[in-house]
């Protein structure tokens, strides 16, 4: 990708960051949309968008278009992540739920472990675009499985209101934080990071005051297991992605 598009290290870091940032921005609203309109529907929508964006990324003629499709992959991924886990939680009773979620996590990390080997082989055989074409084929197959085997639909609430302003504040916070930290220690990077922190504080305050928030931030206060598990995941993924990028 670097050779074909003449991209520098900062731009190359956005190959992963564009996807992750879009996923993070849409993850919270996607969960709300799934509760309102049906989790199966949102899962299929997310997988369809991810598959189309994957085809686009594999055929992109420029770095700008490539990163745009990577971001669209992230949006689709957000809808898949929230609805997939929610469907598992809905289908299995409490006594079996831990086992089901454990199998799901094991499958994710099996794929993540096999990814570098399979990805390297695909690049060697087909070039970097082959990775995206292979992913698109898997996406189509997964869509067929959804429509064949998931018969039920799950709608948790009939409330058709989404806090668009809260979602916008949340998105601005993440964009500013990501852009700012990627440009540190320059003055504009510091300014962007601080702006993101301010937006994040505004988001938390809005969620605490809202009757029907996008995300119940009080969970971090009321459920210490949830709070410390989230902190552990943050440290784990920060370390994992840092090492992967350096390598």
């Amino acid at each position: 990708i670097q050779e074909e598009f003449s991209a520098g290290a900062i731009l190359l870091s956005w190959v992963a960051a564009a996807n992750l940032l879009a996923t993070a921005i849409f993850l919270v609203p996607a969960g709300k949309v799934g509760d309102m309109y049906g989790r199966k529907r949102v899962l299929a929508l997310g997988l369809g968008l991810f598959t189309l964006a994957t085809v686009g990324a594999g055929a992109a003629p420029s770095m700008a278009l490539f990163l745009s499709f990577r971001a669209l992959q992230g949006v689709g991924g957000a809808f898949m992540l929230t609805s997939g886990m929610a469907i598992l939680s809905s289908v299995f009773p409490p006594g079996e739920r831990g086992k089901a979620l454990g199998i799901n996590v094991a499958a994710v990390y099996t794929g993540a472990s096999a990814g570098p080997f399979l990805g390297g082989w695909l690049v060697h055989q087909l070039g970097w675009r082959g990775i995206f074409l292979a992913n698109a084929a898997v996406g189509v197959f997964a869509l067929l499985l959804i429509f064949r085997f998931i018969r039920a639909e799950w709608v948790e609430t009939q409330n058709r209101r989404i806090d668009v302003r809260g979602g916008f504040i949340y998105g601005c916070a993440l964009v500013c934080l990501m852009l700012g930290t990627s440009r540190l220690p320059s003055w504009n990077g510091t300014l962007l990071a601080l702006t993101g922190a301010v937006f994040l504080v505004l988001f938390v305050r809005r969620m605490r005051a809202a009757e029907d928030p996008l995300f119940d931030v009080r969970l971090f206060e009321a459920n210490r297991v949830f709070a410390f598990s989230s902190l552990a995941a943050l440290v784990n993924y920060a370390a994992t992605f840092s090492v992967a990028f350096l390598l």
Side-chain angles (χ1 to χ4, degrees):
I1 292 170
Q2 187 275 327
E3 289 177 357
E4 185 163 340
F5 295 134
S6 301
I10 296 297
L11 203 56
L12 278 177
S13 70
W14 281 95
V15 173
N19 181 280
L20 292 171
L21 180 58
T23 300
I25 290 174
F26 284 89
L27 202 60
V28 171
K32 190 73 173 179
V33 171
D35 289 342
M36 290 168 49
Y37 295 101
R39 292 167 179 170
K40 175 187 174 181
R41 187 176 290 114
V42 168
L43 177 63
L45 173 66
L47 185 55
L49 178 60
F50 179 87
T51 302
L52 289 174
T54 300
V55 174
S62 68
M63 192 67 175
L65 273 175
F66 176 70
L67 291 179
S68 298
F69 282 119
R70 285 289 290 161
L72 280 176
Q73 278 186 308
V75 177
F79 281 85
M80 286 192 294
L81 282 170
T82 53
S83 53
M85 296 291 281
I87 287 174
L88 285 176
S89 298
S90 301
V91 169
F92 289 90
E96 295 290 324
R97 194 170 297 155
K99 178 182 178 181
L101 294 176
I103 293 173
N104 178 71
V105 171
V108 169
Y109 280 96
T110 300
S113 300
F117 168 76
L118 294 177
W121 182 80
L122 282 171
V123 169
H124 182 71
Q125 298 295 328
L126 304 174
W128 66 267
R129 297 180 187 273
I131 293 178
F132 293 93
L133 298 177
N135 264 316
V138 174
V140 171
F141 179 65
L143 271 172
L144 294 175
L145 292 179
I146 288 173
F147 291 116
R148 173 67 177 84
F149 292 105
I150 302 180
R151 306 289 177 83
E153 182 59 281
W154 297 268
V155 179
E156 290 293 323
T157 177
Q158 297 300 320
N159 182 8
R160 300 294 180 180
R161 293 179 57 193
I162 298 180
D163 186 2
V164 177
R165 186 176 298 178
F168 177 76
I169 294 172
Y170 176 69
C172 287
L174 292 180
V175 169
C176 289
L177 282 170
M178 287 283 288
L179 282 175
T181 52
S182 71
R183 295 180 179 182
L184 290 176
S186 65
W187 67 268
N188 57 346
T190 303
L191 184 61
L192 274 172
L194 290 174
T195 302
V198 171
F199 273 120
L200 198 59
V201 171
L202 291 175
F203 174 74
V204 171
R205 292 183 64 180
R206 184 176 180 85
M207 293 302 100
R208 289 177 66 88
E211 293 183 5
D212 188 25
L214 279 174
F215 176 71
D216 187 5
V217 295
R218 292 186 178 88
L219 278 171
F220 290 106
E221 301 172 4
N223 191 330
R224 295 189 67 184
V225 173
F226 173 77
F228 282 106
S229 296
S230 299
L231 178 61
L234 173 64
V235 174
N236 173 48
Y237 284 112
T240 301
F241 276 90
S242 298
V243 172
F245 178 72
L246 289 173
L247 288 175

